[in-house]
Amino acid sequence: MSPDGIVAAEHVWKRFRSDRTRALLRDHYLRFTSRLRGETAGWRWALRDIDVRIEPGEAVGLVGANGSGKSTLLKILTGVMYPYAGRVTVTGRVGALIEVRAGVHPDLTGRENTYLFGSLLGLSRADVTRRFDDIVAFAELEDAIDRQVKFFSSGMQMRLGFAVAAFLEPDVLLVDEVLAVGDAAFQQKCLDRMRGVLAEGTTLVFVSHDLEAVEAACRTGIWLDRGEVAVQGPIREVLGAYRSRVEEEASTDDSSGPVHLVSTTAEGATGGPLRSGKPAALAFELRTEMPLQGTFHVGISEGTATPMFTIQTEVDLGTPGEHRVACEVSSLPLPRGRFFAWVGLFDADGRDLLGWRPATAFEVDGPDLLAAPTAVVRRAPLLIESAWALDDEPLDR
Amino acid sequence: MTVADDLTDGPPPELRFRRRVSLVASIRAVWAVRELVRTLAERDLRARYKQAVLGFAWAVVPTIASVVLFTVLFDRVAEIDTGGATYALFAYFGVLTWSFFSNCVNIGGNSLVGNVAILNKVACPREVFPLTAVVTASVDWLVAAVTGVLLFLVLAEAPHVQVLWLPVYLALQLTFTIGVVLLLSSVIVFLRDLRHALPLLLQLGLFATPVVWNLRSIQGGGRVAYAAFNPLGTVIDGLRSTALLGHSPDWQLVGVSTVTSVTLLFFSYWVFKRLEPGIADVA
């Protein structure tokens, strides 16, 4: 008997019909006749040869663009869908933290729906009764629990669903993009609860587009790209690769504004490689079709369009032609890794002169990023110099 | 982002996923989630009656209304031969059985399609949804059965002691109905337009089944053939002849109908299990 908490997919394939998805008699008939004529029905692969093995207690983040097969894979792991080929093994009690608001009946009260949620997620009524007060307290719905759910806000419904799921105590917890609905305080509460679940040795599979949250909760990651495993390994590696792809795809955008970015350089102050905590020089060659002035923004990101920080300057490009904008950062607050500079030039009214786009990728040499506590979301991986003391005695790092 | 449309680069055939289904294991899995069936049935019942002012009275009203309507129409106007029984009670057993069946088919047939949002996200035996419909309809049947007791009181009649054969007919009715519901619910997922045909078929079924007329009006071998085709006829006729006329069950009819119902149940469950893996894909 294998231990509880293993999640394994071996050579899993899944396909969907690519033609019309209606299921009417006529469609079946048309499909049947075209098959008689020797035409093969249109299918497309949603998952191709997925090989994943997650050991008990591991926390794995599943990332990828929309339509890359994340949810399909999760559905196959929970047993909602069946693969076309391959084998799936999940041992132990599986809890899925998914948006089950659909199972909620709006005319029933919060209390009645709590039992419904519980049953749907696999809790017995006795289990729900025993934890009822905890669940209500966690969802912060003490005043509203006997009200009909149709009078709940969507956030309240979501909290109720999450609260029930949070008390599942499963061996395997599958989480699909549920944190997005709650407010910031509740999101943190959810992450705290996930940390508690992790500490108890639960296997976690976490699907989210919130890459920072994935990074906070997971040690390893899987990047699904168009139904295939693109990268699998330590979470920062996986996220790094995924973010680079986002940048690559963005950079194919052509500019339509009056200003064009010709070239970009990023290097250490003396021309060498970039180093953490040392001066850095960025330079941008711009070509403008007409004289104009505006604000030039530079944002440093891990790949996505959302930078960790931005810097800016007013520029006056008085003549058409090429201009060079240079910038020196006195102390680069970045750890070792690969980063991206995004740029944009906007006039006083905020109109695009040069739309927000990735300009260049650069490598930084230096110490690794310090680890944040598990399940604590760090929005920006900045490396900041710090000196510490305990009881007035300086501490050496 | 296009994903390759051709299947030429599919998985090697030996990797094809094969689902092993055993009858015993399937039934055990359904038994394991009986609480879910209960909770879902409770949800449907509560939700149904919560908004209605008359509440549970709505389970009584249709039965009485149909009995009154049929009595006026078919007793006074068409003069159906009931074999000596009071027509209102004669009609009552027809309505009782038929409304259970039609409720089950109506709710149960659409149960998978209607609960798409749940079965797309929660892994549970899919039988849960059609069975929930049967449980819900059973509660309505109970209410209608109590109505029947009142009807006997009002008409100052007492059922014969042969009414104790009731469980036999209930078992037959349940077997047949579950068979139909399992089959319909799974097929409707793939043939959505059947949903629209359903009310029509039920309407026809109401008159094809001896709800307002007497099965005894079919003579000899024709009646046995009918019983093989429509076990509900056997149920209705059986309830009438035992409770109202004091006959013992006609075992020939019961036997034939049981064979049909059990065969249908096995066949339906087999179809259901065959279709089950695809439900989440098209839902």
Side-chain angles (χ1 to χ4, degrees), chain B:
Chain B
M1 293 198 194
T2 53
V3 182
D5 265 53
D6 57 320
L7 286 184
T8 47
D9 60 344
E14 68 271 16
L15 282 179
R16 276 297 296 273
F17 177 76
R18 297 256 176 270
R19 198 166 77 116
R20 271 178 244 294
V21 189
S22 102
L23 185 64
V24 178
S26 303
I27 292 172
R28 216 174 264 159
V30 174
W31 181 245
V33 293
R34 58 193 182 280
E35 279 203 345
L36 178 56
V37 174
R38 188 187 141 189
T39 317
L40 285 172
E42 212 178 296
R43 171 194 74 168
D44 291 345
L45 286 168
R46 276 183 200 259
R48 179 132 56 98
Y49 294 115
K50 196 150 237 175
Q51 295 290 61
V53 182
L54 287 178
F56 255 89
W58 280 122
V60 182
V61 171
T63 315
I64 294 183
S66 308
V67 167
V68 170
L69 182 72
F70 290 159
T71 305
V72 170
L73 273 180
F74 296 99
D75 189 29
R76 299 287 154 80
V77 183
E79 293 195 1
I80 301 262
D81 174 26
T82 63
T86 312
Y87 188 82
L89 292 171
F90 176 89
Y92 165 74
F93 282 111
V95 170
L96 178 71
T97 305
W98 178 259
S99 35
F100 173 76
F101 178 77
S102 110
N103 273 344
C104 282
V105 169
N106 247 334
I107 311 170
N110 292 319
S111 61
L112 288 176
V113 179
N115 282 302
V116 153
I118 297 181
L119 53 85
N120 232 331
K121 302 209 160 140
V122 178
C124 59
R126 304 311 192 201
E127 296 90 318
V128 160
F129 301 99
L131 287 182
T132 298
V134 174
V135 170
T136 314
S138 299
V139 172
D140 286 341
W141 183 91
L142 276 176
V143 176
V146 172
T147 318
V149 174
L150 294 174
L151 205 59
F152 271 103
L153 288 176
V154 169
L155 296 171
E157 281 190 42
H160 290 267
V161 69
Q162 279 80 2
V163 77
L164 294 176
W165 287 108
L166 182 77
V168 172
Y169 291 109
L170 287 190
L172 179 57
Q173 174 182 339
L174 216 52
T175 311
F176 177 69
T177 309
I178 292 177
V180 172
V181 170
L182 281 179
L183 186 65
L184 275 177
S185 60
S186 53
V187 169
I188 282 182
V189 173
F190 298 92
L191 289 176
R192 297 293 169 95
D193 21 12
L194 256 188
R195 286 180 91 166
H196 308 296
L198 217 49
L200 184 69
L201 291 175
L202 283 174
Q203 198 103 77
L204 292 175
L206 170 65
F207 293 103
T209 305
V211 176
V212 296
W213 49 276
N214 196 340
L215 184 67
R216 302 276 149 188
S217 57
I218 307 177
Q219 296 304 320
R223 197 185 303 156
V224 178
Y226 184 88
F229 168 72
N230 184 0
L232 288 179
T234 306
V235 173
I236 295 173
D237 180 65
L239 292 177
R240 284 168 179 167
S241 64
T242 54
L244 297 179
L245 304 175
H247 300 313
S248 286
D250 183 336
W251 292 112
Q252 198 188 1
L253 295 186
V254 171
V256 166
S257 291
T258 304
V259 171
T260 307
S261 303
V262 171
T263 313
L264 175 72
L265 182 61
F266 276 100
F267 171 73
S268 299
Y269 202 36
W270 178 78
V271 170
F272 191 92
K273 280 294 174 190
R274 284 295 299 262
L275 293 178
E276 196 181 17
I279 289 175
D281 293 0
V282 299

Side-chain angles (χ1 to χ4, degrees), chain A residues 247 261 264-266 282 284 295-313 327 329 332-334 338-346 354-362 380-382:
Chain A
E247 185 269 346
L261 180 68
T264 308
T265 55
L282 298 169
F284 307 90
T295 311
F296 186 67
H297 293 265
V298 177
I300 304 300
S301 90
E302 292 180 282
T304 57
T306 326
M308 299 178 261
F309 61 89
T310 61
I311 43 185
Q312 68 185 74
T313 184
C327 165
V329 177
L332 192 65
L334 298 174
R338 186 174 163 84
F339 297 92
F340 298 84
W342 287 62
V343 298
L345 181 60
F346 307 95
L354 171 67
W356 189 244
R357 70 196 53 248
T360 185
F362 56 88
L382 298 180

Side-chain angles (χ1 to χ4, degrees), chain A residues 234-290:
Chain A
I235 190 70
R236 277 196 65 77
E237 250 172 54
V238 172
L239 292 181
Y242 176 53
R243 284 170 171 136
S244 311
R245 162 64 67 84
V246 173
E247 185 269 346
E248 268 171 37
E249 278 174 10
S251 60
T252 56
D253 279 8
D254 199 26
S255 80
S256 53
V259 179
H260 303 274
L261 180 68
V262 180
S263 69
T264 308
T265 55
E267 52 189 18
T270 50
L274 290 156
R275 286 183 188 285
S276 307
K278 298 283 185 284
L282 298 169
F284 307 90
E285 293 284 348
L286 301 177
R287 192 180 68 245
T288 176
E289 292 161 5
M290 58 182 102

